Amino acid sequence: MRHIQHFLLCVCLTVTSLAGIAQSGTIRGKVTSGTTGEVLLGATVRLLEGTVMKGGAYTDLEGNYSIKAAPGTYNLIIAYISFVNDTLENVTVTDGGVVFNESLLFEEMAAREDIAVEISTTRNNASTYTLYNKKRNSINAIDGVSFDLVQRTGDANAAAAVTRIVGVTVSEGKYVYVRGLGDRYSKTTVNGAELPSLDPNQNAVQMDIFPANLIDNIIVYKNFTPDLPGSFTGGLVDVRTKDFPDRFTLNFSAATSFNPQANLRDDLLTSPEKGKTDWLGVDDGSRAVPEYVQQLGGIPVIGSNTDSLRNVTIDQATKSFTTSLVPVNGTSGLDQNYQLSLGNQHPVGKGVFGYVASLSYRSEFTAYQDGFIGRYFNGSNAATGQINPNLSPYLTLDAQFGQQEVLLGTLAKVSYKLKNHKFSFNTMYNQSGSNASRFATGNFPSQGADTYLEARSISFTERTLNINQLQGDHAIGDKTRINWIHSLSFSSQSEPDLRIFSDDYVELRDPDGTITDSVYAIRQSAYPRPTHFYRDLNEFNYDGRLNVERDFKQWAGLAGKIRFGGVYTLKRREFRESQYQLFTQTNARPFNGDLEDFFSESNLGIVRIDEAGGTKRYRLGNVYQQFDLKRNQYDADQAVAAAYVMSELPITARLKTVFGVRFETTRATIVSQDSTVEIGELDENDFLPALSFIFAARDNMNFRIGYARTLARPTFREFAPFESFDFAGDFTLVGNPNLKRTLIDNADVRWEWFFTPGELISVSAFYKYFANPIERVYNVRSINPQFSFENISSANTYGIELEVKKNFGFINDKLSRLEFGGNASWIRSLINIDSAQYAQIVAIDPDRPDQRPMFGQSPYAANAELSYIDTDELGLQVSLSYNVFGPRITYVGGVSPDVYEQPRGLLNLSVSKKVGKHLTVRLRANNLLDPAFKMTYEYKGREYLFQNYTLGRSYSAGISLSL
């Protein structure tokens, strides 16, 4: 009884204390300079009930304050030395409620009541208004997208969201191109720290791996200042993850989508068997190299047919591999998307402890049955002067494709904030898995007029990204700020048991052309044998940064800043590949078109044992042999150390200059396991100066002009001797260890006018000169069709960007909820083709010009959104958005024409309606125009297809719950 009494007493005391806590609310806010956009540390906030002061607080290093108050109505007076006071009236506090206010304070000589901002509800840290304010006051020319826009347009991940930004396009749904430049000229960071790439063939981070609910905003830096990495030219894309909220929040959303081309089908091309954990994006081990082969350490090489031990081992090893090398038709369900996030903050000691956690899961199907693959070459003869009027086909195939991709994303961030110090730890884990199958068949004229190719592949690609970041922000006195970050990132991409099987057949015809029979063959001289590939890429990134900022007063008493700091980044990659190819021996039944017979047990391994004179002879049929290419396995590392110093110096009250220099030293090596292959090395020291001027023609209008030097290093893929291809029979791609880094001179001009807090017009112009740019080119020295990477002597690009965001309230107040946002870029780039290569080109294509655009560069890109936003009365948001880019080179053809990815316009519609206080219903329609994904050659006015398919329209419905 005594224990029960103690328990009841504890419960009563707990309830009583909670009730006491509930009899108060919280007023929180943020105080920012309306002139510079900087947070104000140490501003005083007084809480008054009538004329009686009931409490107060000082703002911390992020400009935030928090005051506990009993339920009631109050006034707030916010003050900062040399700034005009701000008074917020009738602030209502409820039991347990949280009220958020954001205030802009203006210096006495620059008070602007017409643009003051007061938000008396829970503030969205990712709002477009906050982003535009940051854009207006930034020393960099920046563009971006905020979380409220991502929600409105219905973008599922960062890759879709970033296409809303002026001058930004995305390739393959993953890789960011800024200002029309390829992925090697862009850089992606998360919270300011560099990330590894998950793709051995790309420099850029795969943006589709970041779910939308993890994103606070995405900022693209268009110009270089010395405090940023020097290795970007088109743009630096910084993904900012969510921070802890001002009050407890719990959000859950669920959505499903349907694409008639990919969902609820019984003919989806897929793998004949799947792993038990594929739904989590993780292989369960069933696709690993067979355990028997692992224990052997490799398959013995075929020897004498009397070598019983060796041949029995080969037999068992061969039969341990799956015989399923051919895709089958399977079923597909609906796409699914789930997101859950929560966060809060609590006073702990003399500071505030905050946290945010998020979990997301997405599963989606992609398919097409109408695909086409074409490979052509210029068959003209330079020696005889014969110029062909048409390109000659290497192969022309009809293609089918099916894929299921899942993405699991988690984020956890904890922070502890004192008045002058903040410490945060952020961890993110993303896991994705893609199960893809392809079947292509068609004419193979390079092997004969009546020859046809059948190419099949089955793959499972597993991608993992783990980011761990520890960072701090400190205010030392009222003039010095220090911030630092240590970031450890681990990434991996695994392709366990990528299976390819190709064959060809010749149609036999009688004299009248009727097909009488087909003769099948596996022609290893034209494409690889049936093969199991096992590929593993593991990469480690460390990024450590320290930045110091010190305020000072210049000769006229205007506030300036000096910044300096250092950075050290280390990147290490290990890439391994194993191949097991099927060799057909003389005792095997050759392939006759019957796949089941070809892979039957009676045709694999030992197919017969003959005995003569007391000697057994082991006759082998189809057997696997390990066929590893050591040159395809490599280790790479890159260390970059940097130091910088820069200053923001106001010359007058409206004219500011930003200048400084960054020094970067680079040490990179790439070593193939084939000792005969040349080692790739890069050892460079670079000074990267930057100078810009910012003239505030009005308080809400800026004119910017600047110059900077940046660089682009060869990526590991470009350096590596690794040889790859998209499918059997396709052209191969191989790296070049002799590449040099590219230096770029950049000039930028921008005019921007923020005529209201949520509206703007911006016009930018830029010019870039490239010394030794790296291009993907056709290798004229190769016997077989092959692409590689080479330094070109020079190139230049220039362009104009326009961005507009306008509310229609200027026509009529009833239209004030209707908004238009749009941006467009017009870009031109030129490369002078190497004289030796150009001589080869004009010998068979005399009409070809001696200049071409840069690889991956689009001549234009445009985005537009028409939106209706009524969150107060109807709780309704409608968004109609459109995105398109211009044709861009994806393969530099050499003597054959260049291959261009053609424009395709993406039109999406999203509608969301709030039902009650906490529930929102969303309807979306994506890819409404369903344009073809098309890549083409052009020769003498005629278009030839390199690749062509459509992905279909998608319709989705979902709900979200917010507490």
Side-chain angles (χ1 to χ4, degrees), residues 563-611:
R563 297 179 186 173
F564 58 90
V567 179
Y568 180 76
T569 63
L570 177 64
K571 180 187 299 185
R572 287 180 173 165
R573 174 183 290 184
E574 178 186 88
F575 185 81
R576 297 292 182 265
E577 178 190 81
S578 294
Q579 300 182 33
Y580 297 89
Q581 296 188 3
L582 192 69
F583 285 72
T584 299
Q585 304 301 297
T586 55
N587 292 282
R589 296 187 297 277
F591 182 66
N592 61 1
D594 187 338
L595 291 163
E596 187 174 339
D597 176 70
F598 187 68
F599 285 106
S600 65
E601 188 168 342
S602 63
N603 205 34
L604 292 174
I606 298 173
V607 296
R608 192 174 74 251
I609 300 176
D610 298 332
E611 186 171 358

Side-chain angles (χ1 to χ4, degrees), residues 125 218 222 340 412 429 451 462 570 701:
N125 287 328
I218 303 174
K222 297 290 186 66
L340 174 67
Y429 180 84
T451 302
E462 178 182 331
L570 177 64
M701 182 185 295

